Amino acid sequence: MKTSNIKELLDKIKENPYKTIVVKTPHCGTIEFVVGEGEEVKGPRGKYKEQPGTLLAYLTRENNQKPLYAQERGIISKIYPFQKGDFVEANTPILEIKHYLTKEEVLELILKETLYLFRAPEKGKYYFVPEIDKRIKAKGCQKVKLHPGEEVLILSRMKRETFLPYEGPEGIIYHLYFKPGQSLNAEDILFGVCPPEDLESIKEVVLKVKSEWEEK
Amino acid sequence: MLLLDIEKELQFLEEKLTYIKDIFAHKQNENILLLESKLKDFKNSYKNINLAEAKRKLNSLKDLFTFLENKLDRQLTPMDKVRIVRHPQRICLKDILENVYDNYTEIGGQDEYSIDPSMLIARAYITRKVGKKIYNQPVMVIGQEKGHGEEFRNGGSVKPWGNAKALQYMKVAERENIPIHTYVFTPGAYPIEDYPGAAQQIARNLYEMAGLKVPIIAVFSEGGSGGAEAIALADMRLMLSHGYYSVISPEGAAAIEGRIRGKEKASPELIEQCASQLKMTADDNLVMGYIDRIIKEPPLGARPEHFDFFKQLRNEVIKATDEVVLRVRGISLFRYLVLRKLKNPEIYVRWALGAKAKERLLENRYRKFRKMSQHAYIDGRNNLTKIKDKSEELFWAGYSLLHYDILRRHKQVVSQLTEDIKGEIHVLLNRAKTSYHKFMCRFSWFHKRKANVCQLLSLSDWDGHKQETTPYLSPQAKVDKTITCPNASKEGCLDLWAPDLFGEMAGVCSYCGHHFPMEHEWYLYNVFDAHSLREFNQDIEATNPLDFANFSHKLETAKKKTGQKSACLTFEGKIKGIEVVVAVLTAKFRGGTVGAAEGEKFIRAVEKARLKHRPFIAYVHGTAGIRIQEGTNGVIQMPRCTLAIRNYLEAGGLYIVVYDTNSYAGPVASFLGCSPYQFAIRSSNIGFAGPGVIKETTGLEIPPDYHKAYHALSRGHIQGIWDRRQMRANLYQALLTMGGRYLYYH
């Protein structure tokens, strides 16, 4: 992705720095809202996320009144027109939360758009080949350049080890999304690669986001 | 006197005034205002008058300070005394070591280079000059240290490994046959579960102290609940006149009473009220019988410069040690005479004990604690029941002596002989049988007959239809609704229908195995043999010994709601035919908290188990700790019950503890935690302090599963986790595999 494109992407996010979270019913039941439109809600809190978020509504089925809590911070932007005691089916949207993006979410969005993401082809434990592993440990991942067809990873599964070649554009590893030896599922992101010429501009944007993005 | 001296004296008086203001927490007091104004006047005027006049005025000011300090001392409220104890100028253990003992060496670490600097241990000695002879009497001094390095002392809040260190050196003292002097300077134990675990270590300390064969003298200055008990199970308990000894801090009690949560704080008035209601001062504790003597402090509390006080303290600890030793040693009459003359410090008493004296020491210790807190519960038994109980006790004492101590020895010899003969006969019979079978197997009709017999026998042997336990229907199963498992989001459990869940499924989630709380009755019906339960001491009733405000009403409500008179149920029962004595702490009666009635019932149950040579099971349906409204009457149950348990276990008993739902604080840190065999029902929580208290006292944010039973298992606090539905089978298995040496079924 070109430098201008990255900046454009950031501008685009800045124009609309929100994500709309649609809250749906986990199962059928009668609904009773606790919050109103325009109210601010909080997501789970505490070091271990042990405190639930703001109570949004109760969903009652078989006399079992189940609380529905907000999973993210934001403002209630829309409440679907249900009256207290209305019956709703499972998976029915009941309200929307307008969530202001956090720094981490913005960075994730940008990186996912700008980097080439190399994903796990199947479930297993992944390690870098010793040569690359040494280079990463010694100099950091952003000093490692990858070429298409180069053997990068070892997939360890069922006591068999398979070498995985890198398939993607030539570039350097910008970010690692896994820890070597960690058990991963298929399609999990392993690392993101960017062309060497884009490295500086990505870093610049990341720095900009980190310093300028104000969380609400 | 020079001007410099006057300034020095002035500074000293200013410090005194600041101290007084700190103690009275800036409350409006005319005496303090007077001191303040007089001091200010003198400060402004002494430079303008001649030295002699200044000296005279200063002396009169000093006299005024002494006079008003004495006056203020009489006005001290319990909360003021708490502030005295917490004041940085309060004497601490190092001051005592310097001034009370003639020489000492700190052991088990030095200052910050210690496994836990808040626990200070020293090998000290006291020199006594009697006539021309000088005696050096060694002692082990153990206590919490708050000062002399406040930054690493953790406010005297001892970590579990600090208490373990104390125990280690108590055992050293026992080996060396020297007395132990403990000094209690703690607001409470540091409530973390890291190995060896706050609760478990205090329980271990209490258990071991109950059996330490050397005199133990405890001196209380700040006795904060469990942390204090960890070193305070003593033969003689002295208390400094301005100290406090309580189940909980006044702030903690106020937070509970005022139902204060999170960052809110209780009002100073409520804290003051709780402090006075908890009856935590030395005078209160002396009246209640939880301490033996009060050591008078100087007005407004002892500070390091009060050397006369240290002299007095020294005399008191020497006298106390002498007294404990003399009570157990020598000929009775001589002992009596010497005890009377103990006020004379010229009498030298050797502190090492002989074997017999050590036994007497333990007996005395048990009796001392057994007699405590008798006033703090209601014994509702009528005279007839009391006579019946006493005669039953006497009968069992006689029966046990005859059956287990006298006849059993001979019976063992006879039964061993019979077993040997039986074995021989069995071998001979087997041989004959095999030969017969070999011979008969030659005929085909014999094979057929044998198979038929086997089939018939196997059918008739099946006893699945027999009802071993009584069916129980939980009230929770009568509600027509579905229940969501708390693990549903993680494990994907589907909703469960209450009649199924609390009926057939015994409150266990069929998807993830989560155990929903069941009533204690479920266990009574499903664990013990049908119609085998016989409750005893049901008329021992919890009361409000401190007249704690609004508590009598709460207690009455609990009694009406539950139909119980206390949180502890004690009964005899059978598990697959094995007779056991059981104590149950029920969560629905004031959260299963333990007060004087519960402690007394527990001890009586342990004594019954000992008398009848039966295993003792404590099933903790739930306990929130010691009942704070009973103050020291509650906290004293920790050493009392532990002593009873130790007596029972040392006599060869088997003590099994099963925790369910939530078990916290004092009981876990004493008579429950000291059991060698502790188990938990799945999904239960075990710990010393709840997450809120941990965060408030230590600032640590603990993970939500910190107190879960499986963590307690991996830390080594419990020995296993049981499925509720398997409790009967597991208990039976435990009874068979862990039996004590005096138990009847062995």
Side-chain angles (χ1 to χ4, degrees), chain B residues 176-246:
Chain B
E176 294 176 354
N177 203 1
I178 56 169
I180 300 169
H181 291 173
T182 66
Y183 291 89
V184 183
F185 283 94
T186 183
Y190 197 70
I192 48 168
E193 299 299 329
D194 302 49
Y195 191 82
Q200 299 284 319
Q201 189 55 46
I202 295 173
R204 237 167 264 151
N205 279 29
L206 279 169
Y207 185 83
E208 294 296 335
M209 286 183 90
L212 274 185
K213 290 173 182 164
V214 285
I216 309 171
I217 313 298
V219 181
F220 285 79
S221 169
E222 184 176 16
S225 193
E229 293 303 334
I231 58 163
L233 196 159
D235 302 297
M236 185 71 83
R237 288 152 67 99
L238 310 175
M239 191 164 171
L240 306 187
S241 61
H242 289 64
Y244 81 81
Y245 174 32
S246 170

Side-chain angles (χ1 to χ4, degrees), chain B residues 541-554:
Chain B
E541 199 173 337
T543 182
N544 184 7
L546 302 184
D547 286 326
F548 205 93
N550 306 324
F551 184 61
S552 296
H553 171 67
K554 287 178 188 169

Side-chain angles (χ1 to χ4, degrees), chain B residues 24-80:
Chain B
F24 285 88
H26 304 283
K27 281 186 281 190
Q28 283 295 321
N29 186 306
E30 55 187 15
N31 298 311
I32 300 172
L33 290 175
L34 179 68
L35 283 177
E36 205 171 9
S37 72
K38 289 277 178 192
L39 190 67
K40 203 176 167 188
D41 290 348
F42 180 74
K43 216 173 151 186
N44 293 335
S45 64
Y46 78 97
K47 280 182 185 164
N48 307 327
I49 52 177
N50 62 42
L51 261 180
E53 179 65 11
K55 194 181 157 189
R56 196 187 59 76
K57 278 197 167 182
L58 181 69
N59 282 340
S60 82
L61 188 62
K62 274 160 77 179
D63 288 345
L64 183 71
F65 259 85
T66 314
F67 174 73
L68 289 181
E69 270 182 344
N70 277 313
K71 199 175 170 191
L72 285 168
D73 192 63
R74 289 191 293 275
Q75 294 175 4
L76 286 173
T77 64
M79 193 58 208
D80 296 334

